[in-house]
Amino acid sequence: NAGVTQTPKFQVLKTGQSMTLQCAQDMNHEYMSWYRQDPGMGLRLIHYSVGAGITDQGEVPNGYNVSRSTTEDFPLRLLSAAPSQTSVYFCASSESSGAIYNEQFFGPGTRLTVL
Amino acid sequence: SQQGEEDPQALSIQEGENATMNCSYKTSINNLQWYRQNSGRGLVHLILIRSNEREKHSGRLRVTLDTSKKSSSLLITASRAADTASYFCATDAGGNTPLVFGKGTRLSVIA
């Protein structure tokens, strides 16, 4: 199993550009989520999904869109990039958010810089 | 928010010493988890403790949970240089509520 994969690893955008961060998992996990990690702020939840076709907002959803058309994929879209979105983005998945055992598996991250 | 808060923010110890990190949270939880993050990498799950458990061990790791004080501690015994990393606690309230992470403790183990 590849686990959780994220592409790209690095990205530089100009203000106002749009892009999609890709996340895929091959573990048939129901629950997937996106976090951003900024220095001194820990991980903050952007959006999450408890299954295909279901998404919900986390703590910092503004400026980001998600969709979950398949169990495997959970892309994160930046509609109009802003310098405040410069961060490291992590995708994670788990068997089920409601399961007793819900260890999160993390991808390697995407380091995004918005100029 | 039920975000956990780790304490201390940073910890530096000598190899072979024990390292203790604490996590406090605000609301009732279903589970509490600890994760490790090596520099520039994704987080790796270490241990999960349920709200009805008080202590759990995994190798050199010992986790305690005190729900009356809304706090947890992670003890790493006989630390090694390879334990140098950031450690995060994460809590959830069960059901479909998402996992919420604290800001982490940066541990440096000096050889």
Side-chain angles (χ1 to χ4, degrees):
Chain A
N1 285 353
V4 179
T5 57
Q6 290 184 239
T7 56
K9 285 190 168 60
F10 301 94
Q11 183 70 50
V12 178
L13 292 177
K14 294 181 180 177
T15 297
Q17 287 185 317
S18 63
M19 79 158 295
T20 299
L21 279 62
Q22 301 291 344
C23 174
Q25 51 90 11
D26 61 359
M27 297 172 282
N28 201 32
H29 284 172
E30 291 183 18
Y31 182 80
M32 296 186 75
S33 55
W34 276 102
Y35 294 88
R36 61 178 287 173
Q37 185 176 33
D38 302 295
M41 298 293 291
L43 276 80
R44 292 184 292 171
L45 182 66
I46 305 171
H47 285 284
Y48 64 100
S49 169
V50 299
I54 306 169
T55 63
D56 207 343
Q57 296 180 351
E59 182 185 355
V60 287
N62 292 342
Y64 308 95
N65 276 359
V66 292
S67 60
R68 184 94 180 272
S69 57
T70 67
T71 299
E72 295 77 21
D73 301 297
F74 190 43
L76 178 72
R77 281 182 285 277
L78 281 70
L79 302 177
S80 179
S84 61
Q85 293 179 305
T86 293
S87 187
V88 181
Y89 292 84
F90 289 99
C91 179
S93 73
S94 67
E95 286 186 12
S96 169
S97 65
I100 292 174
Y101 180 69
N102 58 347
E103 169 188 354
Q104 300 273 315
F105 293 82
F106 280 81
T110 293
R111 188 174 296 274
L112 176 68
T113 301
V114 183
L115 302 176
Chain B
S1 167
Q2 63 178 39
Q3 184 183 46
E5 288 285 340
E6 290 89 344
D7 171 61
Q9 288 186 331
L11 179 62
S12 183
I13 60 174
Q14 296 289 326
E15 204 167 31
E17 294 180 336
N18 295 342
T20 299
M21 288 158 272
N22 302 297
C23 170
S24 59
Y25 56 91
K26 297 176 183 175
T27 61
S28 296
I29 61 169
N30 191 42
N31 299 317
L32 186 143
Q33 303 180 41
W34 285 92
Y35 287 80
R36 183 186 73 227
Q37 183 182 33
N38 290 92
S39 180
R41 311 288 286 272
L43 279 71
V44 174
H45 181 262
L46 293 176
I47 198 164
L48 178 151
I49 187 165
R50 299 173 194 150
S51 58
N52 62 353
E53 297 176 314
R54 291 297 167 256
E55 187 170 314
K56 208 161 181 180
H57 296 257
S58 177
R60 293 184 295 110
L61 305 181
R62 172 177 170 255
V63 169
T64 61
L65 179 63
D66 187 334
T67 53
S68 67
K69 295 181 180 178
K70 293 186 170 59
S71 67
S72 173
S73 66
L74 170 67
L75 169 67
I76 303 174
T77 60
S79 63
R80 306 166 182 167
D83 295 326
T84 294
S86 291
Y87 292 82
F88 295 86
C89 69
T91 58
D92 79 87
N96 284 335
T97 59
L99 206 58
V100 180
F101 285 81
K103 297 180 180 180
T105 291
R106 292 188 310 278
L107 173 66
S108 298
V109 181
I110 303 166

